[in-house]
Amino acid sequence: MNLFEELPVHLTEELVTVLARHPGCRIERIVSQGQISPEDFWYDQNEHEWVIVLRGEGVLRFEHEEALSMKPGDHCLIPAHRRHRVEWTSPHELTIWLAVFFGG
């Protein structure tokens, strides 16, 4: 499989594809185009998440912190229960994220 194949032309909602799964670990390709987290919604996950932007741009916000702008190659580790949300993704191009969920 190629991470840049079988991409939608236009998205009305975020597309999440599980690429691999093993007890305690999950790898996802997430494709966004202007999608954001619902207002007043925060992810509060039981797992750690390492995420990288492969294409496009996005902005993550962590509760009580400044926003983190991400472009291709930018990555971060989100510890379990660190509340965060997707504040912005480019509406003009696909943003492709690779997310690895583990432990916690």
Side-chain angles (χ1 to χ4, degrees):
M1 179 179 181
N2 184 305
L3 292 172
F4 302 110
E5 291 181 352
E6 298 182 26
L7 295 171
V9 175
H10 179 75
L11 283 175
T12 56
E13 59 186 51
E14 200 169 63
L15 175 65
V16 177
T17 305
V18 177
L19 303 174
R21 184 185 310 263
H22 189 270
C25 184
R26 182 177 76 259
I27 302 172
E28 295 179 351
R29 179 186 71 176
I30 304 166
V31 183
S32 308
Q33 187 177 32
Q35 286 79 24
I36 61 172
S37 299
E39 190 173 330
D40 296 324
F41 171 83
W42 295 93
Y43 289 100
D44 187 355
Q45 302 165 166
N46 293 328
E47 308 161 293
H48 304 299
E49 178 182 357
W50 178 82
V51 63
I52 184 170
V53 173
L54 302 176
R55 180 184 290 173
E57 295 180 73
V59 175
L60 297 179
R61 178 164 302 274
F62 298 94
E63 190 173 42
H64 309 299
E65 297 179 37
E66 291 187 24
L68 175 63
S69 295
M70 298 183 70
K71 59 186 184 320
D74 291 338
H75 61 91
C76 70
L77 176 63
I78 306 169
H81 299 291
R82 184 176 184 198
R83 290 169 50 102
H84 65 285
R85 56 181 276 113
V86 177
E87 191 155 277
W88 180 85
T89 60
S90 175
H92 306 294
E93 65 180 325
L94 296 177
T95 298
I96 302 173
W97 313 77
L98 185 68
V100 180
F101 299 88
F102 61 97

